[in-house]
Amino acid sequence: MDPSAPSRPAAPAPAPRRRNQAAPPREELLAAAMDTIAERGLDGLTMAGLGRQVGMSSGHLLYYFRTKDELLLQTLEWSEGRLGAERSALLSRPGTARERLDGYVDVYVPDGPRDPHWILWLEVWNRSQNADAEARARQAAIEGAWHRDLVAILAEGVSRGEFRPVDPDRFATRTRALLDGFSVHVAVGVPGTGREQVLAHVREFIEQDLLPRP
């Protein structure tokens, strides 16, 4: 090349390729995952299948979630956020503490066998045996929100004289253990423990152990 010749301007860098479709927002991905669980169960939820549903590659989904465990946990957190909004509305509305407690139980207990939220919870619980500390802390945060709301309802009822003078924290622990056990039975379809039967058992427990005796 002749060094005296004028230099040619560098060729412009190629413009970045546009994607055919913008990546959907994270909430849309989580909603799609929950819909898949509701329709086809956990076995039907795969990265490849979810990717096809939302128009993304499974590799792109892994960029968002890294592992299926993370996808499940984020889907649970998203679903819990919606239930948390229901609980907040429940706690803020007028009425008696007993009415709020009944509403809390109604939100807690699964709708029936294969309730997608509870099926997801059971899977996350099962996988938590191998989860790292950060994932366990996020699960504990979900549990803690349910516990604090129940403690608040019980403390209000005790202060108003609607409930016996129980320790709200201890009674909430016992009540949630009862609700968890019954809810698992409802979610997996154990005979004799349908939703209405479970609600009747819980009402009996509340009347015997929490309401003032005449």
Side-chain angles (χ1 to χ4, degrees), residues 181-197:
F182 273 133
S183 293
V184 170
H185 286 197
V186 174
V188 301
V190 174
T193 53
R195 175 179 167 84
E196 293 307 317
Q197 291 164 303

Side-chain angles (χ1 to χ4, degrees), residues 31-191:
M34 201 68 185
D35 288 344
T36 299
I37 294 171
E39 294 171 8
R40 299 195 294 275
L42 279 165
D43 290 342
L45 179 62
T46 64
M47 287 293 194
L50 181 61
R52 286 192 297 271
Q53 186 175 345
V54 299
M56 293 174 62
S57 69
S58 55
H60 199 166
L61 284 174
L62 285 171
Y63 172 79
Y64 273 97
F65 302 111
R66 302 193 308 276
T67 65
K68 186 172 181 179
D69 284 3
E70 179 64 19
L71 169 63
L72 294 175
L73 182 52
Q74 286 197 32
T75 304
L76 178 63
E77 289 172 327
W78 172 79
S79 181
E80 282 287 343
R82 300 171 74 190
L83 287 178
E86 286 189 50
R87 292 201 313 276
S88 295
L90 175 73
L91 289 169
S92 62
R93 72 188 185 192
T96 65
R98 174 62 192 276
E99 289 170 342
R100 278 190 273 281
L101 179 57
D102 288 342
Y104 177 98
V105 171
D106 186 65
V107 172
Y108 203 109
V109 176
D111 291 335
R114 300 188 64 79
D115 178 297
H117 180 82
W118 266 91
I119 293 299
L120 180 57
W121 241 129
L122 293 176
E123 183 66 12
V124 171
W125 268 338
N126 183 54
R127 291 171 180 248
S128 68
Q129 300 174 73
N130 300 314
D132 59 24
E134 190 261 346
R136 285 177 175 270
R138 288 159 63 190
Q139 294 173 37
I142 295 172
E143 298 275 8
W146 281 98
H147 187 78
R148 288 190 299 273
D149 285 349
L150 181 54
V151 169
I153 294 170
L154 294 172
E156 177 191 5
V158 170
S159 68
R160 291 182 174 184
E162 293 182 44
F163 302 151
R164 295 182 203 173
V166 299
D167 180 317
D169 186 73
R170 286 176 57 84
F171 198 89
T173 299
R174 293 175 57 207
T175 303
R176 289 190 55 245
L178 179 75
L179 290 171
D180 283 343
F182 273 133
S183 293
V184 170
H185 286 197
V186 174
V188 301
V190 174

